[in-house]
Amino acid sequence: MHALPPITALRAFLVACHAGSFTAAAQELCITHGAVSRHIQVVEKWFGVNLFSKEGQRRVPTPYALKLARELGSAFDTLSDIALRYGNGGRNNVFNVSVPTTMSLKWLLPRLDDFYTQFPEANLQISTANTEQLHIVGHYDLLIRRETGATEYSAIPFLADTHCLMASPALLGRFQLKTPEDVLKCPRIETLTRPGHWNMWLAAAGLEKTPVSGLRRYDHFHVSLHAMLEGIGVGLGPVRTLSAEIRRGNLVLLFPQITVAPCHYHALTPAGVQKTLLHQAFERWLVAQGECGDQS
C-alpha cells in the first residue's frame, strides 16, 4: 500500500485552505491555532513544499496549495461517499445511479414514485450525466446508457426508443406543417451531440439535404428539448423517452410514420460491483417499466 500523509493533517490543511486562515480553521475544527499549524507542517514536510505564505498577520494558501486542496477535496468526497454506502456493514442502502440528463428528467424521475412505493426503504442517489460524462464510471452502482461497447459492464436492455419529428403547440400555431416539405420553412433545432439525425430524417422523408439557414444549434439535447418546448423550432426527439411530454400535449408528433436513429437503453453494472437485493430489484423494475408502455 502506498504511504499517505496522516488523514487528520490533510483534513486540517483542507479546512485551512477553505477557511483562508489558521485561526478560522482552528475554530471550525475545534482545535487550537497551534494544532492547525503543526498539522500544516506535517503536510508541508510530506509534500516537500511550503503551502502557505504570510500576508500581514495571516497565513494564506499558495496557488499550489489551492490546486492541491481541490484534488484532495474530491478525494475526501469520495471517501465520504464510500463511508456512507459501506457504513453499518453496507446496510445504509444507498444505491448510486448515473443517468443521461434527458433520460433522467423526462423518463426516470416521473416514474420513480412507483419504485419507492414498492421499496419504501430504498435510498437512491440519482446523478445526471451529459454527453461528455457518459464514459465516466465513477463510484456508481449502476449506469443507464444507450451504448454498451465497453466490456467492463454487465448489461441489461430495458427500453427501445426511436426518434421522430416533434414540435410544441406554440410553434404549430405559427407554422402550418402539412407535408415534410413544409418543415424546411420553419426553424429547425439541431443538437451537436446527435449529429446526422436531420440528414437521416430528410433522407427517410425523401427530401434533399436541409439548407443551413433556419437551423438553431445547441450543444446538448436537454437544451434542444427546452427550445422545442418553448416553440423556438421543430426538432427530432426520442419518442418513448419524451412520452410524458407528448401525452400532456406539450409536444406533438409530426409525420410519426417517419422514424430514425433507433436506440436501446441498458442498465449497466460495472465489473466488480456486487449486486445487492436492491440493485437486482431496480433492474427488474426498469425492465418492467420498459415493457409496460408509456402510460406512466
Side-chain angles (χ1 to χ4, degrees), residues 22-23 25-27 29-39:
F22 286 12
T23 301
Q27 292 173 347
L29 294 169
C30 298
I31 59 178
T32 66
H33 184 285
V36 172
S37 181
R38 287 190 292 275
H39 282 313

Side-chain angles (χ1 to χ4, degrees), residues 77-78 81-82 85 96 125 127 136-142:
D77 287 344
T78 300
D81 179 74
I82 292 172
R85 289 189 291 132
N96 288 277
Q125 182 169 308
S127 300
I136 299 175
V137 177
H139 55 271
Y140 302 112
D141 301 302
L142 183 143

Side-chain angles (χ1 to χ4, degrees), residues 72-172:
L72 282 175
S74 297
F76 270 89
D77 287 344
T78 300
L79 284 173
S80 297
D81 179 74
I82 292 172
L84 177 64
R85 289 189 291 132
Y86 289 92
N88 194 26
R91 292 189 291 274
N92 287 326
N93 215 26
V94 177
F95 184 56
N96 288 277
V97 183
S98 172
V99 192
T101 302
T102 301
M103 178 64 173
S104 175
L105 295 174
K106 299 302 179 181
W107 190 88
L108 181 62
L109 266 59
R111 292 167 166 79
L112 269 184
D113 276 351
D114 177 76
F115 183 79
Y116 281 118
T117 298
Q118 299 179 46
F119 302 93
E121 300 302 317
N123 187 358
L124 271 64
Q125 182 169 308
I126 306 297
S127 300
T128 58
N130 61 34
T131 304
E132 288 83 1
Q133 299 168 324
L134 293 181
H135 67 284
I136 299 175
V137 177
H139 55 271
Y140 302 112
D141 301 302
L142 183 143
L143 303 92
I144 292 177
R145 298 290 188 267
R146 290 194 294 176
E147 305 296 335
T148 60
T151 58
E152 62 267 22
Y153 303 105
S154 63
I156 296 178
F158 68 89
L159 182 71
D161 210 341
T162 190
H163 290 70
C164 183
L165 200 66
M166 52 187 71
S168 72
L171 181 127
L172 296 177

Side-chain angles (χ1 to χ4, degrees), residues 21 45 66-67 74 79 92 110 113 130 150 156 173 184 201 224 230 234 237-238 244 254 267 270 291:
S21 72
K45 183 177 180 181
L66 293 175
K67 184 176 180 181
S74 297
L79 284 173
N92 287 326
D113 276 351
N130 61 34
I156 296 178
L184 300 181
W201 189 88
S224 295
E230 290 295 319
V234 62
L254 306 173
E291 291 174 345

